[in-house]
Amino acid sequence: MNDVVYEVEHSVEALVSSTFAWDWRTDVKNWDDPPAQFQLDGPFAAGSWGTTRLPGQEPLRWQIRDVQPWRSFVIEMRLDRATLSFEWRFDAVSDRHTRLSQRIVLAGDNAAAYAPQVREAFGSNLPDGMSRIAAAMASASSQSAG
């Protein structure tokens, strides 16, 4: 991507298989980030569109890109002459441990206009958010096994 203005990445290990991690994370019903609400229009596949709704704001549209089943996907949000992308990777550490990585990239001719908001929303919050996702996956996995 050209004109990268901001990027941040974080990885955590989840106590689940990589298959479980993929299946759980690609089910939008599991996306829990109040007060945001998420909707996917169609299957979790490259080209499908989704919407994020936040109270008091216009809905944010995004598109799924670059799906490599059970390995990685990208959620891309087009802004005015900029793109915000969320790149997810799923790496099996063992049969029951998966390294989840998320890289957030803001790029484009007008990306600097969005940098303060993106940095505030994701910069310091990414590690805690990733840890919450890993814990929720592990909890869901143990409930489905029990």
Side-chain angles (χ1 to χ4, degrees):
M1 228 180 251
N2 60 346
D3 302 323
V4 172
V5 170
Y6 177 76
E7 72 180 283
V8 61
E9 182 171 355
H10 189 72
S11 298
V12 295
E13 279 194 24
L15 302 176
V16 298
S17 70
S18 60
T19 302
F20 185 91
W22 174 268
D23 290 344
W24 191 88
R25 189 66 194 152
T26 57
D27 183 347
V28 177
K29 290 182 298 223
N30 294 322
W31 295 10
D32 183 23
D33 192 13
Q37 295 181 329
F38 307 94
Q39 175 186 331
L40 179 60
D41 305 328
F44 195 96
S48 290
W49 286 90
T51 306
T52 300
R53 288 182 175 75
L54 290 160
Q57 295 184 27
E58 289 294 313
L60 302 168
R61 296 286 290 159
W62 43 266
Q63 190 172 34
I64 300 172
R65 299 259 187 214
D66 303 326
V67 175
Q68 303 294 319
W70 295 281
R71 301 227 357 112
S72 64
F73 66 84
V74 176
I75 301 290
E76 186 176 272
M77 191 177 297
R78 294 182 191 134
L79 307 169
D80 177 31
R81 295 181 297 121
T83 301
L84 181 60
S85 63
F86 302 85
E87 304 171 12
W88 281 85
R89 286 189 323 275
F90 302 78
D91 297 304
V93 176
S94 70
D95 288 349
R96 293 189 302 186
H97 286 79
T98 302
R99 181 177 306 104
L100 307 172
S101 301
Q102 184 179 191
R103 181 172 168 243
I104 301 171
V105 178
L106 176 63
D109 294 340
N110 194 35
Y114 298 96
Q117 183 180 358
V118 170
R119 188 176 288 113
E120 181 181 332
F122 300 108
S124 62
N125 298 324
L126 187 58
D128 285 345
M130 294 290 290
S131 293
R132 280 194 312 275
I133 289 167
M137 274 182 190
S139 176
S141 177
S142 67
Q143 289 175 7
S144 69

